[in-house]
Amino acid sequence: MTASSVKSCDVLIVGAGPVGLFGAYYAGVRTLSTVVLDSLEEPGGQITAMYPEKAIFDVAGFPAIKGRDLVAQLLEQAAPFKPHYLLGTQAVGLERGDGGFAVTTGSGDRIEARAIVITGGIGTFTPRPLPTGGEYLGRGLVHFVPEPAAYADHDIVVVGGGDSALDWALMLEPIGRSVTIVHRRGEFRAHQHSVELLKRSSVRIITDAQVSAVHGDPEVERVEITVKGADEPVVVTASKLVAALGFTANLGPLMEWGLDIQKRQIMVDTAGRTSVPGIYAAGDIVDYEGKVKLIATGFGEVATAVNNAFAYLNPGMSAFPGHLSDYAPAPGEAPAVASPTA
Ligand SMILES: Cc1cc2nc3c(=O)[nH]c(=O)nc-3n(C[C@H](O)[C@H](O)[C@H](O)COP(=O)(O)OP(=O)(O)OC[C@H]3O[C@@H](n4cnc5c(N)ncnc54)[C@H](O)[C@@H]3O)c2cc1C
């Protein structure tokens, strides 16, 4: 499906991360025709881009689920309602009209929508580069580890002290020949549980340290690490260098949509409404008092946002969708759910 083949829809969801995908499910339940846009080529947002192989432990109902499996389940859950996915397509411009909105895309297409739900997460994200060795990108230096199996029998250096760095170090430990983690501070900024696992693992930990040079031709062969207070650098043999220094997030065009944005977050009320009537938002991109950025909270927020968008589009109808357990779909079939009136 290309953008030019979709002229209009009831709801346009901007962002096919986990929150946008669950929003597509609820929009389908409420019989809203739905288009889901994402600038990435694959659905799944941060999960697909950064940790498809990581186990997620805090999604309700799943004691543990691998990132890519959660994305697959979300796609399957929404599939009976046939949302239109426009991937590799960035939402750029917003026009407001009497009957709703028109969003223009980076590829020059125009999609009309009666309401919009923004689930743009951290926006378009770009990895922070290593202070040195950037020229090895694609020659042993990576920012993502989409396929851990490809690291078998490699000596690996992971740089960073946050969740991604620890997740990848722990994930690669049983796969690689050796794993070293280098962090510029004395303390890690990751989940305490991951820090404990790291300390009990065979991963070599070098803290208060920075990568000062990368050597090898044409691929990475050695990483030189300068440790605070030490006279000589530590040299580690490595054929893979994983730079997990975080990301610079760019809300980009969404910043210009006339929404109330504070500290790069879209402000919403308890119904998921932004400051512009008809535009809702949910997930990592939103803020309100007490906001916790998790997949679990994003799922609740988008259920609220989409159902309130439904009520906005259908005056007199309730935002409450009813309880859905009586309407389990037959395989490949959308459930016939009647939306209750107010
Ligand atoms: C390493 C790591 C591990 C994590 N582990 C956990 C965990 O164990 N449990 C947990 O609950 N959370 C975890 N998180 C956080 C979790 O991934 C996020 O809370 C979640 O992805 C937010 O979902 P989202 O759909 O709101 O946003 P995102 O996943 O960021 O998706 C947003 C999507 O919107 C798209 N987009 C943005 N702007 C535009 C635009 N203008 N046009 C088109 N598309 C656009 C982006 O390309 C992106 O695909 C982790 C995060 C990281 C980085």
Side-chain angles (χ1 to χ4, degrees):
M1 178 74 51
T2 63
S4 52
S5 63
V6 180
K7 297 282 180 253
S8 63
C9 57
D10 292 325
V11 173
L12 174 64
I13 297 180
V14 179
V19 175
L21 295 179
F22 191 54
Y25 161 76
Y26 252 117
V29 165
R30 300 312 297 265
T31 64
L32 299 170
S33 61
T34 308
V35 171
V36 187
L37 273 188
D38 203 297
S39 44
L40 298 176
E41 298 288 338
E42 298 286 328
Q46 291 173 53
I47 298 178
T48 300
M50 292 185 249
Y51 58 103
E53 290 295 320
K54 182 181 98 90
I56 304 171
F57 298 103
D58 54 352
V59 174
F62 293 100
I65 183 164
K66 204 189 262 192
R68 77 165 79 241
D69 293 339
L70 179 62
V71 172
Q73 299 274 58
L74 286 162
L75 288 166
E76 187 182 328
Q77 193 171 21
F81 305 103
K82 300 184 172 51
H84 299 298
Y85 294 101
L86 299 177
L87 302 176
T89 307
Q90 189 184 28
V92 177
L94 176 77
E95 296 165 21
R96 301 185 207 186
D98 288 343
F101 307 92
V103 168
T104 50
T105 71
S107 36
D109 291 297
R110 182 184 154 90
I111 300 157
E112 290 174 3
R114 295 169 62 217
I116 296 175
V117 178
I118 301 174
T119 50
I122 53 176
T124 310
F125 43 97
T126 322
R128 281 207 179 90
L130 274 177
T132 182
E135 68 276 16
Y136 282 93
L137 199 58
R139 295 190 287 130
L141 169 65
V142 295
H143 294 291
F144 302 107
V145 185
E147 286 180 44
Y151 290 65
D153 300 326
H154 281 275
D155 294 301
I156 304 154
V157 171
V158 177
V159 188
D163 284 312
S164 305
L166 269 70
D167 284 347
W168 282 331
L170 289 168
M171 197 172 65
L172 293 169
E173 183 211 6
I175 297 169
R177 189 161 40 218
S178 72
V179 178
T180 302
I181 188 164
V182 180
H183 179 39
R184 69 190 167 100
R185 298 190 197 282
E187 299 292 324
F188 290 102
R189 287 176 291 106
H191 283 151
Q192 197 50 39
H193 179 61
S194 305
V195 177
E196 296 301 327
L197 289 178
L198 187 77
K199 287 181 178 163
R200 279 189 261 135
S201 75
S202 68
V203 173
R204 180 180 178 190
I205 300 172
I206 307 180
T207 50
D208 286 318
Q210 297 220 46
V211 171
S212 44
V214 182
H215 302 284
D217 186 17
E219 301 264 327
V220 174
E221 290 168 19
R222 289 181 317 283
V223 177
E224 206 174 279
I225 298 155
T226 303
V227 183
K228 212 182 201 170
D231 295 335
E232 295 291 321
V234 178
V235 179
V236 178
T237 300
S239 45
K240 294 285 181 194
L241 177 57
V242 182
L245 300 172
F247 294 84
T248 47
N250 181 11
L251 285 183
L254 304 180
M255 299 286 284
E256 314 300 324
W257 283 18
L259 306 167
D260 179 7
I261 292 181
Q262 294 177 24
K263 295 186 183 158
R264 311 185 57 74
Q265 304 291 128
I266 298 174
M267 304 308 292
V268 291
D269 67 11
T270 52
R273 284 181 285 245
T274 69
S275 56
V276 175
I279 302 186
Y280 296 74
D284 272 16
I285 201 165
V286 304
D287 202 9
Y288 49 82
E289 193 187 345
K291 164 75 182 175
V292 176
K293 283 190 189 181
L294 284 174
I295 296 165
T297 49
F299 284 167
E301 289 163 6
V302 81
T304 299
V306 168
N307 281 295
N308 277 282
F310 171 85
Y312 165 83
L313 293 174
N314 297 278
M317 303 286 270
S318 174
F320 180 57
H323 291 132
L324 305 174
S325 50
D326 296 339
Y327 304 98
E333 207 175 81
V337 179
S339 297
T341 50

